[in-house]
Amino acid sequence: MQLRQNNIRKLPEQVFDALVIGGGINGASAAAALSGKGASVALIDRGDFAGSTSMHSSNLVWGGIKYMESGDFALVRKLCKSRNHLIKSYPSTVQEIRFLTTINKGFRHHPLYPWAGTWLYWLMGSAFTRMPDFLRPDGIKAREPIIDTNNAQGGFEYSDAYLHDNDARFVFNFVRGALDFGTVAANYVESLGARREGDLWVTKVRDSMDGRTFEIRSKVLINAAGPWVDQHNTLSGQKTDHHHVFSKGIHLIVPRLTDSKRVLAFFADDGRLFFVIPMGPRTCIGTTDTRVEKPEVGATEDDIRFVLDNINTRLALKKPLGKEDIIATRCGVRPLAVKPSGGDDRDFLNLSRKHAIDIDDKMRHLSIFGGKLTDCLNVGEEVVEEVRRLGIDIPYPDFRWYGEPDASVRESFMHQARLMDLDAMTSSEASEPLSTRLWRRYGAQALEMLEDIRQDPRQGEVLIEGTEYLRCELKLARRREMVTRLEDFLRRRSKVSLVVPEQTIRNSPGLREACDILFDDQAEARLEEYLATSSPESAGLRPEA
């Protein structure tokens, strides 16, 4: 908590080049890019970082193959290039994965037609990934026995990418990078609206943890509030060309359905792509695409039944999946950027996730609409360019603000890990060697954990049963990751609450020790707060807000 408290004190003390409101993927990448290139930046979020859309994704980093059917080839080309760049920049985290797509009889196209499309997709992606394959039903069954091919016409396999760990963790690493570059960031700080005073924006904010209000001054204001961009623009008197419409999507986390590390893709009953995605010891299935009027949503009985019915129809399971198999539910909205005449008349399912940045030059205000994880580096670079154009000095325009540490740092970590036989300490329940996992999550900071384990071997022990998280990881989270509530760690810095049943977490003897490590004298209050909060998401149902 010390990091957050120090930053709360700093926020009202200086005039920043830019204040970024919203710590999802757009705000996190904007803050990292600006501060990495030398601007002074403040970043706030009314909840936790990555606490909304950015923690409810499918964990896929893809070029948008579905947009080819609507002819949006320029967007597909841009997203494919972005995907390739992320794979190269984050080789431990963003990894190529095969998508096996089954086409059933009665589909609107013969399987050869979309298969030809995968070749065009591959070429538009600069042939960066493995080539597509065409598969007959028996070939599909041979690669994935779990697929029910009785009604299949054929299929194909092609490549895209996915986040090996957790979308919220990926986003937080941009926030952590921004902090390393000097950004003054704080979660649970809500903007109450902003006004212009002379050449500055004055944003009134409230610390949600203690109710205290104060003001932050900045030369530029960047509204990256995700689904709440329009709402905050109303508070600040901004009119924009774009606005958001919302699509609700849910995913269900269930026990692992197949040991293969590929995504199984189908066309769901509503016509959109439907996925079975590997998630370590679990499987993630979904998604829905339901138009809603506001961003506060929850999974309904109909949503859950839609996902379960689709998966049970398309997979040959020994026992159909039921609600009792659901470990956790992810439910959020996709904010889709449209212009007043552009959102209501188009087929809703064909609206793309492209981002748009509306700029008020006179007021020095930016609003970021739409966007997705795949496009995050482009968002950061575009924000820097627009802020520079608005008159803010960017001292280091060529600095590379993203990507994993240099290969020599990784080799140093891996060499030290081998010398101390770190992988021998890997939990029997782990999905990968301990050295690989620590490097992917923490990069150069993983070296600190090796020292912690050398000094005290207990630091290499799993703390909460059924998870892969060590005592030393919680120590690092306390020091560097601004964990303010227990849920911040369980759901966003880690994916514990996605892969471990809630009751198992609550009954874990290590949960209280985790609170002691993370919160010191506030441990009891934070634990009681967590235990008192029902989590219908984990139970698989949440009433519609």
Side-chain angles (χ1 to χ4, degrees), residues 318-370:
K318 293 180 180 178
K319 175 181 173 292
L321 286 174
K323 284 184 62 177
E324 67 278 6
D325 297 304
I326 299 171
I327 296 166
T329 301
R330 317 178 88 180
C331 179
V333 295
R334 308 170 187 90
L336 306 171
V338 298
K339 290 190 174 181
S341 61
D344 299 324
D345 300 331
R346 288 184 61 184
D347 178 359
F348 183 68
L349 294 179
N350 285 332
L351 286 175
S352 76
R353 297 285 302 280
K354 66 183 178 182
H355 73 268
I357 303 177
D358 284 3
I359 302 150
D360 184 333
D361 287 8
K362 181 179 178 182
M363 303 286 278
R364 299 211 284 191
H365 185 283
L366 281 70
S367 301
I368 308 175
F369 294 90

Side-chain angles (χ1 to χ4, degrees), residues 7 16 41 69 239 250 273 282 353 421:
N7 283 359
F16 296 93
V41 180
E69 192 170 10
K239 297 186 182 299
I250 78 160
L273 281 168
R282 309 299 183 196
R353 297 285 302 280
D421 202 15

Side-chain angles (χ1 to χ4, degrees), residues 111-138:
L112 288 172
Y113 183 84
W115 175 67
T118 65
W119 276 91
L120 178 58
Y121 185 63
W122 180 68
L123 292 170
M124 292 177 73
S126 305
F128 182 80
T129 59
R130 291 169 55 192
M131 292 187 295
D133 294 329
F134 180 77
L135 300 170
R136 299 187 185 280
D138 57 348

Side-chain angles (χ1 to χ4, degrees), residues 169 173 176 180 405 409 413 438-439 441-452 472 476 479-481:
R169 177 79 220 179
N173 282 343
R176 184 59 254 181
D180 291 341
V409 181
F413 168 78
L438 292 182
W439 173 261
R441 284 185 185 155
Y442 306 105
Q445 299 305 318
L447 287 160
E448 295 182 24
M449 296 185 188
L450 297 185
E451 184 59 28
D452 286 342
C472 61
L476 187 79
R479 185 167 64 251
R480 289 180 53 84
E481 299 192 348

Side-chain angles (χ1 to χ4, degrees), residues 276-523:
V276 176
I277 305 166
M279 183 182 277
R282 309 299 183 196
T283 295
C284 176
I285 56 177
T287 176
T288 59
D289 199 345
T290 310
R291 182 153 187 178
V292 292
E293 297 303 317
K294 56 185 180 179
E296 296 82 14
V297 294
T300 66
E301 290 277 5
D302 286 344
D303 295 328
I304 291 170
R305 179 49 49 198
F306 173 86
V307 174
L308 292 176
D309 286 349
N310 270 279
I311 202 65
N312 287 326
T313 299
R314 288 159 177 81
L315 297 184
L317 301 172
K318 293 180 180 178
K319 175 181 173 292
L321 286 174
K323 284 184 62 177
E324 67 278 6
D325 297 304
I326 299 171
I327 296 166
T329 301
R330 317 178 88 180
C331 179
V333 295
R334 308 170 187 90
L336 306 171
V338 298
K339 290 190 174 181
S341 61
D344 299 324
D345 300 331
R346 288 184 61 184
D347 178 359
F348 183 68
L349 294 179
N350 285 332
L351 286 175
S352 76
R353 297 285 302 280
K354 66 183 178 182
H355 73 268
I357 303 177
D358 284 3
I359 302 150
D360 184 333
D361 287 8
K362 181 179 178 182
M363 303 286 278
R364 299 211 284 191
H365 185 283
L366 281 70
S367 301
I368 308 175
F369 294 90
K372 56 190 298 180
L373 291 168
T374 310
D375 215 17
C376 61
L377 302 186
N378 291 328
V379 169
E381 293 289 352
E382 290 173 30
V383 166
V384 170
E385 181 55 31
E386 294 300 341
V387 168
R388 184 201 60 77
R389 192 180 58 79
L390 293 175
I392 302 301
D393 181 40
I394 304 295
Y396 309 105
D398 298 324
F399 180 77
R400 190 173 188 267
W401 51 275
Y402 55 85
E404 290 184 12
D406 186 85
S408 63
V409 181
R410 182 182 188 279
E411 181 50 36
S412 176
F413 168 78
M414 289 297 180
H415 184 61
Q416 291 187 44
R418 286 190 293 269
L419 291 174
M420 61 189 292
D421 202 15
L422 181 70
D423 287 344
M425 303 174 67
T426 304
S427 165
S428 60
E429 299 177 343
S431 57
E432 61 186 338
L434 186 53
S435 59
T436 301
R437 180 170 62 77
L438 292 182
W439 173 261
R440 188 186 66 251
R441 284 185 185 155
Y442 306 105
Q445 299 305 318
L447 287 160
E448 295 182 24
M449 296 185 188
L450 297 185
E451 184 59 28
D452 286 342
I453 294 170
R454 287 190 198 100
Q455 292 184 20
D456 177 8
R458 292 181 68 252
Q459 296 301 315
E461 296 175 355
V462 171
L463 186 56
I464 300 175
E465 62 186 63
T467 77
E468 299 180 22
Y469 290 84
L470 313 180
R471 281 187 175 85
C472 61
E473 291 183 81
L474 278 94
K475 284 182 62 178
L476 187 79
R478 169 188 169 180
R479 185 167 64 251
R480 289 180 53 84
E481 299 192 348
M482 212 174 290
V483 175
T484 305
R485 291 180 163 137
L486 186 54
E487 182 70 7
D488 300 342
F489 178 78
L490 294 176
R491 176 62 179 84
R492 287 173 288 276
R493 307 300 181 272
S494 75
K495 58 181 179 185
V496 169
S497 63
L498 285 179
V499 299
V500 179
E502 182 181 14
Q503 203 56 43
T504 301
I505 298 172
R506 287 171 174 259
N507 294 337
S508 170
L511 189 63
R512 184 172 297 274
E513 184 182 347
C515 285
D516 289 337
I517 294 171
L518 290 169
F519 304 116
D520 283 338
D521 56 352
Q522 294 187 29

